[in-house]
Amino acid sequence: MDTYKINENGFYGEFGGAYIPEILHRCVTELQSNYLRIMESESFISEYRQLLRDYVGRPSPLYLTRRLSERYNCRLYLKREDLNHTGAHKINNTIGQILIARRMGKTRIIAETGAGQHGVATATVCALMNMECVVYMGKTDVERQHINVQKMEMLGARVVPVVSGNQTLKDATNEAIRDWCCNPSDTYYIIGSTVGPHPYPDMVARLQSVISEEIKLQLQQAEGREHPDYIIACIGGGSNAAGGIFHYIDDTRVRIVLAEAAGDGVDSGRSAATIQLGRRGVIHGSRTLVMQTPDGQIEEPYSISAGLDYPGIGPMHAHLATTRRATVLPVEDGEALAAAYELTRLEGIIPALESAHALGALHKIGFKSDDIVVLILSGRGDKDLHTLLQYKF
Ligand SMILES: *Cc1c(COP(=O)(O)O)cnc(C)c1O
């Protein structure tokens, strides 16, 4: 195989595509035929770059840990997405998509959110661009993620609690798709990860690719070479990982390690380890691996980290995993918690629980002392303090 990149029909190998209801056909086709042209235009590039620099605070630092490197016997760098405005990598994507929406003449933005992080990142850019914003969120999540709901409201978004199904992310996504079906001409749907129908996985990966673009420059300066030996990232839908590996995807000198949330254990019945447990299916417009019952009903995932409990996975990652380009390691709640405390105590950085899953994979890999390892620290832990403090290490 020559490339792990997407093909012209929106597939990564057997995964991806656009499996959508007829009524959305025009919206999705419109986006498919415009996103690359817009993203490659000079006006988009200059506005996007300027906002990443002055509003988000990019480039994010590539920090060579001292005590953590010693602990794991390698040269361990953290890509500090936790230092971005709004506290995670998600803003890289929402800024890009709102600029695309404006160039397509859309006036209204909708989004779905689980933990509320994507909702906050979307509400933030809508305030910045003075656009109407509606965020669908499962009622259970509205109650669990109260501070993020308040932030979205302060930013001027309307948060709609969804009462169907289990009242979580999957149901919020269904509701957002329903809204889009009713308002196809003026509304743009900002998806928060490398999931959904083509072109979303590719568009989001490209918008997050600034992460690996910066890593290449930063490693060149720090180590005299552009590529690490390992890139490690957590995967919910897969966007921070996609951004971190984008420019290395066909460079097999770089080993890709993806950490997925194993909850109480892969075989415990309470996990979100989609790649370990999933079977081929279609979810939210994309053919990928899906956690499902024998008769094809989507199973409710569980993880201590609200950002990782999605029953699907981006088609790029399904392809990387099934072709063994990437190594996928399941990380349990307890391992992630221990890793969060370890980073906090060794380096003075409190990570998001999602990012703690990437950290929790470190002890499962045997490094050589001259290995250069880059771990994507996707977000900061402020939002998770309450959970972290329930467990004392
Ligand atoms: C949402 C989120 C994730 C998971 O999403 P991906 O699309 O897989 O990156 C990971 N880390 C943080 C901090 C998040 O907010």
Side-chain angles (χ1 to χ4, degrees), residues 87-90 117 192-194 234-241 307-308 352 354-355 378-380 383:
H89 65 291
K90 288 201 168 73
Q117 295 301 108
S193 190
T194 42
C234 66
I235 43 170
S239 69
N240 83 89
L308 300 183
E354 292 86 359
S355 322
S378 55
R380 58 179 173 246
K383 67 185 179 62

Side-chain angles (χ1 to χ4, degrees), residues 22 48 68 136 146 166 207 219 292 301 346 354:
E22 183 60 32
Y48 178 59
L68 205 62
Y136 291 94
H146 198 58
N166 284 299
L207 292 171
L219 272 187
Q292 52 189 308
L346 291 181
E354 292 86 359

Side-chain angles (χ1 to χ4, degrees), residues 114-270:
Q117 295 301 108
H118 174 57
V120 170
T122 302
T124 299
V125 297
C126 287
L128 179 69
M129 296 294 169
N130 190 25
M131 293 195 36
E132 184 188 346
C133 181
V134 179
V135 178
Y136 291 94
M137 191 170 185
K139 187 161 169 287
T140 313
D141 290 330
V142 169
E143 285 154 14
R144 283 197 293 205
Q145 309 289 337
H146 198 58
I147 293 195
N148 279 339
V149 174
Q150 290 175 318
K151 282 189 191 169
M152 287 184 264
E153 285 171 349
M154 171 131 190
L155 287 159
R158 188 158 65 87
V159 179
V160 181
V162 174
V163 294
S164 57
N166 284 299
Q167 314 191 345
T168 58
L169 177 62
K170 166 172 67 65
D171 314 293
T173 305
N174 291 338
E175 210 55 46
I177 291 172
R178 208 162 294 147
D179 179 316
W180 205 21
C181 289
C182 298
N183 305 284
S185 55
D186 67 339
T187 296
Y188 182 96
Y189 179 18
I190 298 189
I191 293 185
S193 190
T194 42
V195 300
H198 176 60
Y200 280 101
D202 186 47
M203 180 167 58
V204 176
R206 285 170 189 268
L207 292 171
Q208 293 290 359
S209 71
V210 64
I211 298 173
S212 50
E213 184 185 309
E214 290 174 4
I215 293 172
K216 284 177 87 170
L217 289 172
Q218 290 166 323
L219 272 187
Q220 179 64 44
Q221 284 190 340
E223 297 281 354
R225 63 157 148 115
E226 287 187 337
H227 74 281
D229 298 296
Y230 291 86
I231 292 262
I232 305 174
C234 66
I235 43 170
S239 69
N240 83 89
I245 64 182
F246 193 88
H247 291 289
Y248 300 115
I249 199 162
D250 289 329
D251 182 347
T252 49
R253 293 172 301 183
V254 181
R255 272 166 278 190
I256 299 171
V257 178
L258 306 173
E260 66 175 359
D264 290 341
V266 172
D267 300 316
S268 67
R270 269 168 59 84

Side-chain angles (χ1 to χ4, degrees), residues 370-381:
D370 59 351
D371 278 341
I372 297 172
V373 179
V374 174
L375 184 145
I376 316 294
L377 198 70
S378 55
R380 58 179 173 246

